[in-house]
Amino acid sequence: MQENKFFDYVIQVHDSVHEINEHAWNELLALQKKPTPFMQHAYLRAMQESQAASPQTGWRLQIIAVWQETPSGQRLCAVCPLYLKGNSYGEYVFDWAWAEAYQRHGLSYYPKAVIAVPFTPVPGSRLLAVDAHARHALAKAVIEFAQKHGLSSVHLLFGDEDDDLQACMEAGMMLRHTVQFHWHNSNYFDFDDFLSRLSQEKRKKIKQERRKVKDAGVHFRVLRGTEIKSSDWEFFYKCYERTYLEHGNKPYLSREFFNLMQSDMPGNWLLFIALREDHPIACSLLGLETSKSTSDAGGIAYGRYWGALERVDCLHFEACYYQPIEWCIAHGFIRFEGGAQGEHKMARALLPVQTSSAHWLAHPGFSEAVARFLAQEGQGVEAYLQDLNLRTPLRQA
């Protein structure tokens, strides 16, 4: 553990999430505007314990913590997970071209610092803090950490559009924007009410796709939280692993990681299992962020993983979009996020939204060049969003 002073705070760098009290961490997370289950202490701990995110896979964890001395002892005021990366895999905000440019000029781009949830392109709070002052101190501490250790750059990925990015800009970081596709619940009564709000073309297409799955004899079993038994998790992982292997890759996450999800975070998962003749053939897994009240109303669902052992026409759309949307309507969830990229999701009424990251480069020349690139790219993203919004699947008044 390393320590230094910043204003009236003490900055500490920890090598393990175990060095931060879980209750203190999650209390800070609950204070944020955009908490997600993927920033919970248990989720990051599972990444570390299962070695999914480890030095061997290119993710060396450094917890940056901001503490304040009080009469009763140290108080955790701000914290974030920072990873020293030896590559750019599993980030979903692509900077390979920046790394190649460094290499062409005889400079080392790696290691770099990344503030993110490994393999999880879900927007949300990254700089957990009690207030703006502590968050600013945390952002400054991250830059000082990078300078002290000679890192090429710092990248905060999929941060909160307000608090995180404001603190990053004050610390001298540059913003970069990308596009994702999210479904929003406009107080629909049921799935038919949702369909009625779409254009005739899109409504007809969705009905045809759902009919193909039904005509193939496929139905679904929906399991939430502790209803998902070990045998269900085992089936899910079989499907999940198969999907990666079919694309020629090993899965990022191990069976051990999902064992930890089952034991430590069961309430944050929703599983759709597709069955034909009562035989499971496919599934999709969603993460859940519920409201602070006991009611589901206001919750958010995150599409995460999918896999199939048999091929059925349109089954992917049913398992990954239509079943989750129908479930969200029934349970009062306000949003369903479909994951990174994918313009095809608009045909399923997932609409474009801007997501953002923040970047700092140590080399002045490259920093200026990247700033010019981001200005041009930002104009392109803005034009792309405008074009997408003109092609909305929603029925026009």
Side-chain angles (χ1 to χ4, degrees), residues 224 290-297:
R224 180 178 181 180
T290 56
S291 63
K292 293 181 175 63
S293 69
T294 57
S295 170
D296 279 339

Side-chain angles (χ1 to χ4, degrees), residues 24-50:
W25 180 292
N26 289 339
E27 270 195 334
L28 276 184
L29 178 60
L31 293 175
Q32 309 313 302
K33 292 179 180 177
K34 296 183 179 178
T36 74
F38 314 108
M39 277 292 289
Q40 285 188 32
H41 191 278
Y43 191 86
L44 297 171
R45 188 174 69 237
M47 283 283 178
Q48 181 178 334
E49 290 181 358
S50 67

Side-chain angles (χ1 to χ4, degrees), residues 54-284:
S54 67
Q56 290 73 31
T57 59
W59 298 78
R60 181 186 167 197
L61 180 61
Q62 302 279 268
I63 301 291
I64 313 295
V66 177
W67 302 86
Q68 190 172 47
E69 297 289 349
T70 71
S72 58
Q74 281 193 328
R75 173 196 182 203
L76 183 64
C77 294
V79 69
C80 72
L82 180 147
Y83 293 89
L84 302 181
K85 290 295 304 293
N87 56 51
S88 293
Y89 292 109
E91 298 175 17
Y92 302 93
V93 176
F94 304 109
D95 62 349
W96 293 104
W98 303 359
E100 291 171 1
Y102 266 65
Q103 186 177 25
R104 285 197 303 270
H105 288 80
L107 301 172
S108 296
Y109 190 67
Y110 305 108
K112 63 177 183 177
V114 175
I115 302 171
V117 181
F119 322 118
T120 311
V122 174
S125 300
R126 296 289 180 265
L127 303 177
L128 312 185
V130 294
D131 55 31
H133 186 253
R135 189 175 294 105
H136 174 67
L138 178 59
K140 292 289 289 183
V142 167
I143 300 300
E144 289 186 0
F145 173 87
Q147 292 171 328
K148 178 180 177 180
H149 293 276
L151 304 179
S152 72
S153 50
V154 176
H155 311 266
L156 184 145
L157 309 182
F158 299 105
D160 173 12
E161 291 273 353
D162 299 318
D163 292 341
D164 288 347
L165 299 188
Q166 181 62 39
C168 286
M169 286 190 294
E170 290 173 357
M173 300 179 73
M174 301 173 285
L175 300 189
R176 187 180 191 184
H177 305 296
T178 52
V179 177
Q180 287 189 359
F181 297 85
H182 300 169
W183 175 86
H184 298 269
N185 189 348
S186 296
N187 296 317
Y188 301 119
F189 298 121
D190 53 25
F191 197 85
D192 286 337
D193 183 33
F194 156 65
L195 287 180
S196 72
R197 315 285 184 95
L198 303 181
S199 67
Q200 182 180 4
E201 175 192 1
K202 295 297 187 290
R203 184 166 61 247
K204 180 180 179 181
K205 181 179 181 65
I206 290 174
K207 287 182 175 180
Q208 288 174 339
E209 291 175 343
R210 301 202 79 182
R211 190 177 301 115
K212 287 180 181 179
V213 176
K214 185 176 181 180
D215 290 347
V218 175
H219 63 281
F220 281 82
R221 188 160 61 103
V222 185
L223 303 170
R224 180 178 181 180
T226 55
E227 295 174 344
I228 310 174
K229 305 303 181 185
S230 295
S231 58
D232 302 315
W233 282 105
E234 195 65 44
F235 174 71
F236 155 75
Y237 195 78
K238 186 177 181 181
C239 295
Y240 165 76
E241 185 178 43
R242 169 77 68 87
T243 298
Y244 271 86
L245 294 176
E246 286 179 349
H247 289 86
N249 301 308
K250 289 179 59 179
Y252 283 130
L253 303 175
S254 66
R255 182 68 182 92
E256 181 185 356
F257 173 83
F258 291 105
N259 284 340
L260 292 169
M261 292 296 96
Q262 181 185 3
S263 62
D264 297 349
M265 294 178 59
N268 293 106
W269 298 102
L270 179 69
L271 182 64
F272 296 89
I273 299 179
L275 303 102
R276 182 155 58 179
E277 297 179 354
D278 292 327
H279 176 68
I281 62 171
C283 65
S284 64

